[in-house]
Tab-separated table of all heavy atoms in Angstrom:
chain	number	residue	atom	x	y	z
A	62	ALA	N	129.221	114.947	116.685
A	62	ALA	CA	129.528	115.571	118.054
A	62	ALA	C	131.029	115.420	118.357
A	62	ALA	O	131.766	116.389	118.720
A	62	ALA	CB	128.745	114.978	119.085
A	63	SER	N	131.523	114.256	118.085
A	63	SER	CA	132.987	113.964	118.408
A	63	SER	C	133.908	114.606	117.536
A	63	SER	O	134.918	115.249	117.944
A	63	SER	CB	133.246	112.467	118.373
A	63	SER	OG	132.307	111.817	119.318
A	64	ALA	N	133.567	114.667	116.139
A	64	ALA	CA	134.350	115.414	115.262
A	64	ALA	C	134.582	116.816	115.477
A	64	ALA	O	135.512	117.432	115.172
A	64	ALA	CB	133.756	115.177	113.848
A	65	LEU	N	133.506	117.406	116.077
A	65	LEU	CA	133.636	118.815	116.365
A	65	LEU	C	134.218	119.044	117.740
A	65	LEU	O	134.883	120.102	117.926
A	65	LEU	CB	132.257	119.456	116.298
A	65	LEU	CG	131.591	119.599	114.928
A	65	LEU	CD1	130.126	120.170	114.925
A	65	LEU	CD2	132.453	120.495	113.923
A	66	SER	N	133.886	118.229	118.681
A	66	SER	CA	134.292	118.423	120.047
A	66	SER	C	135.794	118.254	120.263
A	66	SER	O	136.487	118.996	121.012
A	66	SER	CB	133.572	117.581	121.087
A	66	SER	OG	133.821	116.212	120.754
A	67	ILE	N	136.412	117.378	119.539
A	67	ILE	CA	137.797	117.069	119.734
A	67	ILE	C	138.726	118.325	119.308
A	67	ILE	O	139.593	118.747	120.110
A	67	ILE	CB	138.267	115.835	118.958
A	67	ILE	CG1	137.607	114.599	119.349
A	67	ILE	CG2	139.826	115.609	118.894
A	67	ILE	CD1	137.835	113.353	118.704
A	68	PRO	N	138.720	118.883	118.151
A	68	PRO	CA	139.522	119.996	117.873
A	68	PRO	C	139.212	121.206	118.734
A	68	PRO	O	140.063	121.975	119.202
A	68	PRO	CB	139.227	120.386	116.392
A	68	PRO	CG	137.927	119.724	116.057
A	68	PRO	CD	137.823	118.393	116.867
A	69	ILE	N	137.874	121.388	119.106
A	69	ILE	CA	137.619	122.644	119.925
A	69	ILE	C	138.039	122.396	121.148
A	69	ILE	O	138.747	123.280	121.980
A	69	ILE	CB	136.127	122.872	119.830
A	69	ILE	CG1	135.539	123.244	118.504
A	69	ILE	CG2	135.680	123.800	120.961
A	69	ILE	CD1	134.110	123.433	118.398
A	70	GLY	N	138.040	121.186	121.822
A	70	GLY	CA	138.498	120.796	123.164
A	70	GLY	C	140.020	120.897	123.267
A	70	GLY	O	140.611	121.426	124.228
A	71	VAL	N	140.588	120.642	122.162
A	71	VAL	CA	142.181	120.605	122.099
A	71	VAL	C	142.602	122.103	122.123
A	71	VAL	O	143.515	122.487	122.793
A	71	VAL	CB	142.687	119.937	120.882
A	71	VAL	CG1	144.197	120.168	120.663
A	71	VAL	CG2	142.518	118.305	121.120
A	72	LEU	N	141.871	122.989	121.399
A	72	LEU	CA	142.254	124.352	121.366
A	72	LEU	C	142.013	125.091	122.513
A	72	LEU	O	142.787	125.789	123.062
A	72	LEU	CB	141.533	125.009	120.174
A	72	LEU	CG	141.966	124.601	118.676
A	72	LEU	CD1	141.094	125.158	117.690
A	72	LEU	CD2	143.422	125.030	118.431
A	73	ILE	N	140.833	124.818	123.209
A	73	ILE	CA	140.581	125.324	124.525
A	73	ILE	C	141.566	125.026	125.630
A	73	ILE	O	142.012	125.828	126.299
A	73	ILE	CB	139.098	125.084	124.923
A	73	ILE	CG1	138.093	125.693	123.973
A	73	ILE	CG2	138.849	125.476	126.269
A	73	ILE	CD1	136.755	125.294	124.212
A	79	TRP	N	141.522	130.978	123.663
A	79	TRP	CA	140.343	130.009	123.233
A	79	TRP	C	139.497	129.627	124.398
A	79	TRP	O	138.273	129.650	124.423
A	79	TRP	CB	140.715	128.835	122.469
A	79	TRP	CG	141.170	129.127	121.157
A	79	TRP	CD1	142.317	129.642	120.532
A	79	TRP	CD2	140.365	128.646	119.900
A	79	TRP	NE1	142.323	129.699	119.147
A	79	TRP	CE2	141.186	129.064	118.812
A	79	TRP	CE3	139.151	127.964	119.689
A	79	TRP	CZ2	140.640	128.891	117.532
A	79	TRP	CZ3	138.682	127.785	118.530
A	79	TRP	CH2	139.391	128.205	117.434
A	129	ILE	N	137.452	116.832	127.087
A	129	ILE	CA	138.664	116.896	126.220
A	129	ILE	C	139.566	118.056	126.547
A	129	ILE	O	140.848	117.883	126.662
A	129	ILE	CB	138.293	116.931	124.868
A	129	ILE	CG1	137.621	115.652	124.405
A	129	ILE	CG2	139.424	117.101	123.886
A	129	ILE	CD1	136.920	115.654	122.953
Side-chain angles (χ1 to χ4, degrees):
S63 301
L65 293 175
S66 65
I67 291 174
I69 294 175
V71 169
L72 290 172
I73 293 177
W79 280 77
I129 292 172

